[in-house]
Amino acid sequence: MDDLLQKLGEQLRFLRKEKGWSQDKLAELSGLHTNYIGQIERGEKNLTIETLYKVTTGLGISLEELFQSIDPKHRQTGLTKIVELLAQRPVEDQAMVLHLVQTILAWDNRKRK
């Protein structure tokens, strides 16, 4: 269980930092105390699902997205591998990859006409 709490905390910290937020900001958006956010990120707290929901809502993600990034159990396809790789990258990198894919697909559509 400790390993899961550690992974969970690390992923929440990553997502918070990716947004450029302090623990204070996430605490405010989640309706939790700053110290509690720190304990969660360090894997020190065994959270309730309600508390976890508050944190993910504060981050603007779903519980499913959080758990998929921590412990994906689905069959890996090329698309799921791409999604998992991109989920760990900053938003700017994700936007750049999206633009590249759109450009390639537009080029391919023009080529087929």
Side-chain angles (χ1 to χ4, degrees):
M1 181 62 84
D2 288 341
D3 188 45
L4 177 60
L5 292 174
Q6 190 70 37
K7 285 181 183 178
L8 183 64
E10 288 171 1
Q11 184 63 17
L12 291 170
R13 178 183 290 122
F14 172 82
L15 294 167
R16 174 182 61 78
K17 286 186 171 187
E18 182 180 53
K19 292 179 179 289
W21 293 353
S22 66
Q23 288 180 345
D24 289 330
K25 171 119 179 164
L26 179 55
E28 178 184 327
L29 293 170
S30 302
L32 301 169
H33 193 277
T34 304
N35 292 342
Y36 195 64
I37 295 293
Q39 291 171 328
I40 292 169
E41 289 184 355
R42 291 188 299 276
E44 298 172 355
K45 284 293 180 184
N46 192 2
L47 329 170
T48 65
I49 197 74
E50 182 180 348
T51 300
L52 191 55
Y53 180 76
K54 287 179 182 182
V55 175
T56 56
T57 300
L59 285 166
I61 64 168
S62 69
L63 288 169
E64 179 183 9
E65 290 172 287
L66 176 63
F67 285 115
Q68 287 269 330
S69 66
I70 291 172
D71 190 23
K73 295 288 186 196
H74 51 81
R75 193 181 98 236
Q76 291 243 332
T77 63
L79 182 58
T80 58
K81 287 179 186 177
I82 291 169
V83 169
E84 288 174 15
L85 288 170
L86 287 174
Q88 299 300 317
R89 302 297 303 174
V91 173
E92 296 82 15
D93 290 1
Q94 294 173 14
M96 180 180 64
V97 170
L98 175 60
H99 178 72
L100 288 170
V101 169
Q102 289 171 329
T103 301
I104 291 168
L105 293 176
W107 170 80
D108 188 56
N109 287 339
R110 286 191 306 273
K111 183 179 79 169
R112 292 176 187 260
K113 289 182 181 182

